[in-house]
Structure formats: structure tokens, C-alpha cells
Amino acid sequence: MSQEFLITILATAITAGTPILYAALGEVLTERSGIINLGVEGMMLVGAVCGFVFAIKTNDPWLGVFAAMLGGGAMALIHAFLTVTLQANQIVSGLALTLFGTGLSGFLGKSYIGIPVENPFKPVELGFLSDIPIIGAIFFQHDYLVYITYLLVPILWFLVYKTKPGLNLRAVGENPAAADSLGVSVYKIRYIYVILGGMLAGVGGAYLSLAYAPSWLENMTAGRGWIAVALVIFATWNPLRAMFGSYIFGGIDALGFRAQAMGVMIPSFFLKMLPYLFTILVLIIVTRKAMANRVGAPGALGLSYDREER
């Protein structure tokens, strides 16, 4: 394997892993608050179509990203209302939103299939950083949405583990009754982080339609939302590990495409299955390790909170 080929694979892994990373970061925050969101796939699709349509109408990809955030956030608001206010089953609500988002995105984007984006996100070199041998080619020849994740991941890690709002977030996810007794607003925090998670999922969808493959196709997320949900378990609800895991999945995905381009005699269907097979394998390994080390999800994950029952 040549050095040039390895650099290409690693750089492509970052590109392919970025939409998963945005969605996974959003899911980390959501689940840290104690809410499971299985509607990530639907939120990514709504974000992808909203971002694409607004970018086409305004010729400004940044307005497209803003629209994607609003679209994903609106979907997440529905999930928050159902699960936090009405205390509906979180699994059922998330699945329903995935189905709803899939249908809604297909309906909204039907007339935009085949229309190219005139001004998509393009790779931007960062001066001397891009000229660093090997490192520059891997990390600093991408678009702005990739560079934003380089800052977003440590910021979210610091927020979760080193700040009072992060402490409140973790407290609500672990024991909402105890947090409530100390004056922490459980409902407010869950609403905030569920909506923020949906907004990040929307950005992940917009990355697909405005940067990774600047176009709109129905179901273009191709299961990346589900990979993001599984990745949260792999990352043990840690933003830094989510970044590492996203790039691993992106690398597996990129390797499949590169293998096809090199003429490797493996059926294309099997190559497309690689990221999902790897997801299942990782879940098995991580779950066994978590059971052995007693490292698990937030204590109140998936459980509704009723203040009157405290």
C-alpha cells in the first residue's frame, strides 16, 4: 500500500465521517440528558433537503446550513414535546419521526432531484497548515464544515465534562429526581439538548447534500443516522471518542469505494455492506466490554420523568 493511497484513504475517511460525526455529537448530547432519539435518520434527511432547497434558492450554502439546523431542530422539538412533556415512549417516538422525516424529505425534494448545487462547499486550504507533509493533506484540505468539527468536538467535550451546565446535563441524565431536588430544571435541559441534537443532525444531513455529494436524492443518508446512534455506544457518550469512531466508519466506507475503483474482485453489494457489518461488530465488542467494566449509558436514559412522582 503506497503512502499516497494511505493519505487518500485517511483524508476521505474524514470527509465521509463528518456527516456521521455531526449526527453522533447531537445524539451524545441528547442521550446525556436521558432521552433516546431514534429519529436521527429522519432529522438528517429533513436537514439535507432543507439545506439543499435553501442553498438552491439563495445560492448561499451557509443559509442552507442554517435552514438545515432549523429543519432538524423542528423535528427534534416534536420529539421533545412527545417524550418530555407527554412522556410518550421514546423508542416509538423516534421511529415515528424517522418514518415521517423520510416521507417528508422525499415529498419536499421530489422536484429538486437532478438539480445541481451551483455553490456547494468546496475544499479550502488553511495556509501553512495545508502544506505540512502528510498531516496537511489528511486534515487541512477540506471544507469549512469539516474544520468546524475540529473546534466543535473539544468545545462539546469541555462543555460536558468541565462546566456547570455540563454537570447539570449529566446529572439530569443520571438521576433527574436528584437534579430536580437541587433546583435543576429537568424539562428545560432535556428540551434544550434534544433540540440541539436535532440541529446537529440537520447539519449532518446538509453536509451530505451540500458538500459530500452536492445534490438531492431520496434517502441519501443511506442509514448514516442509524450508524450515528450506534456510534454513541461505541463512544461511551464521549464527544472525543465519537470523533474517532466517526472517522473509523468513514474510513471503512471510503475503503469500499476505493476498492471498487482499484478493480478489486469483490461484489459491490458486499463492499457497501462493510460499514454496517462493522457497526454490528463494534456494538458486540463494546457491549461485552461495557458489561465487564461496568461502563454504561446514563442512568436515566430512556426513562420519562414525572415531577409529581418524585
Side-chain angles (χ1 to χ4, degrees):
M1 184 180 295
S2 66
Q3 176 176 301
E4 182 179 354
F5 178 79
L6 183 59
I7 291 174
T8 301
I9 288 294
L10 293 176
T12 307
I14 293 176
T15 304
T18 295
I20 300 175
L21 177 57
Y22 273 110
L25 291 175
E27 186 67 6
V28 165
L29 295 178
T30 299
E31 294 196 8
R32 277 288 181 184
S33 73
I35 301 295
I36 297 175
N37 181 11
L38 297 186
V40 175
E41 181 83 356
M43 294 173 190
M44 289 185 71
L45 283 169
V46 170
V49 72
C50 288
F52 182 81
V53 171
F54 270 76
I56 290 291
K57 295 292 186 181
T58 64
N59 199 32
D60 188 338
W62 288 109
L63 288 179
V65 171
F66 181 70
M69 293 175 65
L70 293 180
M75 291 281 288
L77 177 60
I78 297 174
H79 186 58
F81 177 72
L82 291 173
T83 58
V84 178
T85 302
L86 301 183
Q87 299 180 26
N89 185 286
Q90 297 176 18
I91 303 298
V92 174
S93 175
L95 293 175
L97 283 176
T98 287
L99 296 174
F100 175 69
T102 301
L104 179 63
S105 63
F107 173 75
L108 295 176
K110 186 175 182 180
S111 59
Y112 292 91
I113 296 176
I115 299 178
V117 180
E118 295 183 3
N119 188 25
F121 286 99
K122 298 178 181 179
V124 177
E125 295 190 358
L126 297 181
F128 74 94
L129 292 175
S130 300
D131 296 329
I132 300 175
I134 301 178
I135 299 297
I138 295 174
F139 292 100
F140 301 111
Q141 293 184 7
H142 298 285
D143 56 81
Y144 284 121
L145 290 180
V146 172
Y147 298 144
I148 287 174
T149 62
Y150 295 167
L151 299 175
L152 183 62
V153 170
I155 288 173
L156 291 182
W157 179 87
F158 186 81
L159 169 69
V160 171
Y161 293 104
K162 300 296 180 179
T163 67
K164 183 177 180 180
L167 178 61
N168 291 339
L169 169 64
R170 288 181 285 131
V172 167
E174 288 292 338
N175 192 329
D180 193 11
S181 67
L182 295 175
V184 178
S185 177
V186 175
Y187 299 141
K188 178 181 177 181
I189 285 179
R190 286 189 167 183
Y191 259 92
I192 289 173
Y193 287 102
V194 169
I195 294 173
L196 182 58
M199 294 173 71
L200 288 173
V203 176
Y207 185 82
L208 290 172
S209 61
L210 298 178
Y212 188 67
S215 60
W216 165 251
L217 294 172
E218 290 189 29
N219 299 316
M220 69 182 306
T221 52
R224 289 179 176 86
W226 297 110
I227 291 179
V229 173
L231 181 59
V232 173
I233 302 173
F234 168 80
T236 60
W237 295 266
N238 184 315
L240 293 178
R241 293 177 181 174
M243 186 179 202
F244 176 70
S246 297
Y247 293 161
I248 290 179
F249 286 108
I252 298 295
D253 192 20
L255 188 60
F257 284 108
R258 292 293 172 180
Q260 285 182 311
M262 294 173 62
V264 175
M265 300 303 294
I266 300 176
S268 61
F269 294 105
F270 179 77
L271 293 175
K272 292 178 181 179
M273 288 168 56
L274 285 179
Y276 309 100
L277 293 174
F278 189 69
T279 301
I280 295 172
L281 179 62
V282 165
L283 282 176
I284 294 172
I285 295 174
V286 171
T287 301
R288 290 175 61 87
K289 183 178 179 181
M291 292 176 63
N293 298 334
R294 296 184 179 179
V295 178
L301 181 61
L303 302 178
S304 298
Y305 175 66
D306 186 351
R307 192 174 192 183
E308 299 302 321
E309 296 179 357
R310 179 165 60 90

